[in-house]
Amino acid sequence: MTREMICIVCPMGCRLTVDTESLAVTGNTCERGEKYAVEEVRAPMRVITSTVRIEGALYRRLPVKTSRAIPKALNFQCIAALKGIRLKSPVRAGQVILKDILGTGADIVATRSM
Ligand code: SF4
């Protein structure tokens, strides 16, 4: 069986076809596309972006993201885990907000200073 997908690793957006049994990939322009396609079939991963509450800053929500990709299946659990967080300004870009989110080894980090 084959599966078709668009590579989201870079703006080129190559159309990939993966044989789900042999994991042979076609349509990729570079090796990153092959790695992405195989990962999408085996265990999709995503960098999660969201916001958390912050007090005393220009805006009421601070943009955050995971420090690296985590299993896509944990997306909604990750967002839910951020709901109770309340920060106080100042926070600097890159500051760790929550370590080891859901035991994935990825941290939640601020993506801007506020
Ligand atoms: S296969 Fe390579 S060039 Fe094509 S979208 Fe993916 S990363 Fe970009």
Side-chain angles (χ1 to χ4, degrees):
M1 189 171 143
T2 60
R3 193 169 141 194
E4 296 192 353
M5 64 186 74
I6 306 278
C7 180
I8 60 171
V9 176
C10 89
M12 287 270 290
C14 297
R15 289 183 173 274
L16 309 177
T17 303
V18 193
D19 184 316
T20 56
E21 288 166 20
S22 70
L23 298 179
V25 180
T26 57
N28 55 307
T29 306
C30 71
E31 287 181 9
R32 291 183 303 162
E34 180 177 358
K35 182 173 179 274
Y36 168 77
V38 170
E39 195 172 86
E40 275 297 286
V41 170
R42 284 186 169 160
M45 305 282 284
R46 292 289 185 277
V47 170
I48 307 300
T49 60
S50 186
T51 61
V52 296
R53 285 188 185 182
I54 185 167
E55 294 170 356
L58 179 61
Y59 302 109
R60 288 161 48 179
R61 312 268 325 164
L62 172 77
V64 297
K65 70 177 186 78
T66 52
S67 57
R68 59 185 172 85
I70 67 171
K72 186 180 174 185
L74 295 177
N75 186 352
F76 291 112
Q77 278 178 262
C78 179
I79 299 297
L82 300 179
K83 279 196 173 162
I85 294 177
R86 280 175 191 254
L87 301 172
K88 287 199 187 307
S89 180
V91 172
R92 60 179 164 61
Q95 184 174 327
V96 174
I97 305 301
L98 188 62
K99 284 192 85 59
D100 191 22
I101 183 84
L102 303 172
T104 59
D107 298 330
I108 298 294
V109 296
T111 59
R112 71 173 289 182
S113 298
M114 284 176 67

